[in-house]
């Protein structure tokens, strides 16, 4: 499928506001990819697909996990908002024919991040955080930082997410902690 076929497929499974968000993430990801000499076409594909499972409810998500033999960790099971990344990667692969492992990885981990993210996964993670319709304290600083120091922007965004989870009394996914620690250790050892 070409990008426009995928875009139409994504439009058919998302609410209009979520679809607009996905378009913004795709465009932001393409700009970041060009800036960091990554594949802008891959970034657009991953960006448009990153939330393709966002409108699926917890019961459907669990069924998809079972269908593909995936194990749901306890943190995600207790915070169903985290299920849409892995479920989206499955949908992208099995319903839309996406086989590129980098695109699938970027979709899977766009919410939590993970240790040792490849460049595309980093781009999708931060593009989702800073796309033009995001409006929260510090977003303008993050937008600027994302084009100056990608890892620093991700560290900052992970820190914001972790702090928000703590303030709201939510569980923190270990992948987010591992992603932040990995990047901090990488910088310390550079």
């Amino acid at each position: 499928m070409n990008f426009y076929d995928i875009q139409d497929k994504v439009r058919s499974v998302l609410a209009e506001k979520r679809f607009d968000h996905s378009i913004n993430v795709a465009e932001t990801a393409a700009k970041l990819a060009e800036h960091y000499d990554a594949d802008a076409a891959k970034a657009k594909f991953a960006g448009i697909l990153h939330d393709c499972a966002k409108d699926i409810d917890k019961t459907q998500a669990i069924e998809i996990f079972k269908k593909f033999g995936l194990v749901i960790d306890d943190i995600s099971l207790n915070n169903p908002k985290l299920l849409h990344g892995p479920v989206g990667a499955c949908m992208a692969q099995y319903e839309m024919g996406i086989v590129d492992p980098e695109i699938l990885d970027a979709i899977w981990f766009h919410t939590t991040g993970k240790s040792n993210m490849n460049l595309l996964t980093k781009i999708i993670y931060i593009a989702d955080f800073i796309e033009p319709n995001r409006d929260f304290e510090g977003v303008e600083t993050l937008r600027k930082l994302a084009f100056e120091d990608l890892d620093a922007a991700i560290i900052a965004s992970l820190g914001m997410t972790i702090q928000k989870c703590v303030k709201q009394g939510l569980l923190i996914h270990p992948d987010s902690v591992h992603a932040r620690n990995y990047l901090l250790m990488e910088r310390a050892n550079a």
Side-chain angles (χ1 to χ4, degrees):
M1 282 192 202
N2 67 39
F3 178 80
Y4 297 104
D5 291 336
I6 294 292
Q7 180 177 295
D8 288 343
K9 190 101 164 144
V10 170
R11 181 185 318 223
S12 75
V13 298
L14 291 180
E16 185 177 344
K17 186 176 178 182
R18 180 68 48 199
F19 177 73
D20 290 344
H21 163 72
S22 295
I23 290 289
N24 286 335
V25 171
E27 291 172 357
T28 302
K31 289 175 188 171
L32 283 163
E34 288 170 4
H35 182 78
Y36 288 105
D37 294 323
D39 188 325
K42 271 190 189 187
K44 276 187 83 168
F45 268 95
I48 197 69
L49 285 163
H50 84 285
D51 269 355
C52 67
K54 187 71 172 188
D55 291 342
I56 289 177
D57 66 30
K58 180 180 178 179
T59 304
Q60 290 174 297
I62 290 169
E63 288 302 315
I64 291 170
F65 267 80
K66 288 179 184 175
K67 179 180 177 181
F68 295 109
L70 301 172
V71 176
I72 305 173
D73 64 84
D74 289 338
I75 305 296
S76 297
L77 197 54
N78 284 287
N79 186 354
K81 290 181 180 180
L82 298 177
L83 296 174
H84 77 278
V87 171
C90 289
M91 285 177 63
Q93 183 173 3
Y94 297 107
E95 294 179 17
M96 300 180 203
I98 303 297
V99 295
D100 186 304
E102 287 185 341
I103 293 174
L104 297 172
D105 190 72
I107 297 166
W108 189 293
F109 293 102
H110 82 270
T111 303
T112 61
K114 69 172 188 169
S115 290
N116 198 19
M117 288 184 274
N118 65 41
L119 181 57
L120 182 61
T121 302
K122 289 178 180 182
I123 286 170
I124 298 305
Y125 176 86
I126 200 68
D128 184 32
F129 216 84
I130 65 166
E131 63 95 342
N133 285 335
R134 294 289 195 197
D135 185 23
F136 56 87
E137 186 178 332
V139 71
E140 288 302 327
T141 302
L142 277 179
R143 285 184 181 125
K144 185 173 184 262
L145 187 57
F147 285 91
E148 295 170 357
D149 185 339
L150 185 61
D151 287 351
I154 293 169
I155 291 166
S157 64
L158 285 163
M160 290 174 159
T161 299
I162 291 167
Q163 286 178 347
K164 182 179 175 184
C165 289
V166 169
K167 284 181 184 175
Q168 294 179 355
L170 300 173
L171 297 170
I172 300 166
H173 199 284
D175 283 342
S176 298
V177 175
H178 295 311
R180 185 175 180 276
N181 288 345
Y182 183 92
L183 290 170
L184 287 170
M185 287 174 37
E186 200 173 54
R187 291 171 92 75
N189 295 327

